[in-house]
Amino acid sequence: MQSKFRALSGALIMAAAAATSAPALADGEVNIYSYRQPFLIQPLIDAFAAETGVKANVIFASKGLGERIAAEGENSPADVLLTVDIGRLDGAKQLGITQPVSSDIVNENIPAQYRDPEGHWIGLTNRARIIYASRDRVDQDSITYEELADPKWKGRICTRSGQHVYTIGLIASMVAHHGEEKTEEWLAGVRDNLARKPAGNDRAQVKAINAGECDISIGNTYYMGKMETNDKEPEQKEWAASVRILFPNAEDRGSHVNLAGVVLAKNAPNKDNAVKLIEFLTSPEAQRIYAETNFEYPVTPGVEVSERVSSWGELKPDALPLADIAKNRKTASELVDKVGFDNGPAS
């Protein structure tokens, strides 16, 4: 199985991840396909190997892993898929490459709103879709998503593409709360308030705020941590210092949150070890590692956020089940095209 696993990796990056502290007689293996970069999950893999003796083999790629598992079919060596965003988690289920996880440990550790009702995906950490606001040009300390359509923000908002999975998730949550018609009106209002056509990633929007091109942007919380600690590109620390985080709708329903999560592959050749890994990833120990390494919010109740994440303010997460948001992703994508969101303001 191991030789086949290596052969199938092709041009993907292979990261064999046996922990140095693992027992000499490892209790089997588990094969991970991951959209999360190896350095982000390595501490988790090391801890899992130390606790269980199971050797983890990791293939990393930025796209196409779900489709790859589907193409490999019954011969796929994949045991689990680690990914980000409810769109990709639900997308894996829709591809037919998952099987339900039946585990009392997982059900006890992960609240129902962060699990697929049928067990096909499990959330591991949260990230909130928040507002980055200029420290110099924005005085208010609270905001709502609905307010982004207010004309007072005309020419002042930056964001990435409306068709990016992160944006689709937020728009889908608006559909779930307000319905399609009102969300279309809102999205057109946000479009008209844009400072420019949507472009770049979340960090690029904060860079634009620092450069004075806009005053607020929409982004994920963990990018603040990545910018604040970026020693290789210290200019990103300057970008981060120019903004503060506003948690939308903190006074009412709470801020939209999305997930990093895991699925159990339909044809997992090492199913027992895969379930062990999934159970470990939901444990308080793993959740603490995840939180410290990736600047994300643990979903296991009682696990504290990191000191850095805590310094950004208190997150009140929207209690809407992520499965309900996933149902509205197609509508959200259609609305982005319908209002010409990615064409920019006045389109």
Side-chain angles (χ1 to χ4, degrees), residues 175 178-187 331 335 338:
V175 175
H178 299 297
E180 182 176 347
E181 184 177 348
K182 287 187 177 180
T183 300
E184 180 181 344
E185 295 175 3
W186 169 79
L187 193 60
T331 298
L335 289 178
K338 186 175 181 180

Side-chain angles (χ1 to χ4, degrees), residues 202-242:
D202 283 3
R203 279 186 256 203
Q205 316 312 318
V206 179
K207 179 182 180 182
I209 293 175
N210 183 56
E213 298 172 19
C214 48
D215 294 339
I216 62 173
S217 71
I218 306 169
N220 282 346
T221 40
Y222 65 91
Y223 284 111
M224 179 65 100
K226 291 181 181 297
M227 290 184 291
E228 288 179 335
T229 59
N230 196 330
D231 293 327
K232 292 183 178 180
E233 300 178 68
E235 65 272 17
Q236 292 195 14
K237 295 183 179 181
E238 297 178 12
W239 306 348
S242 72

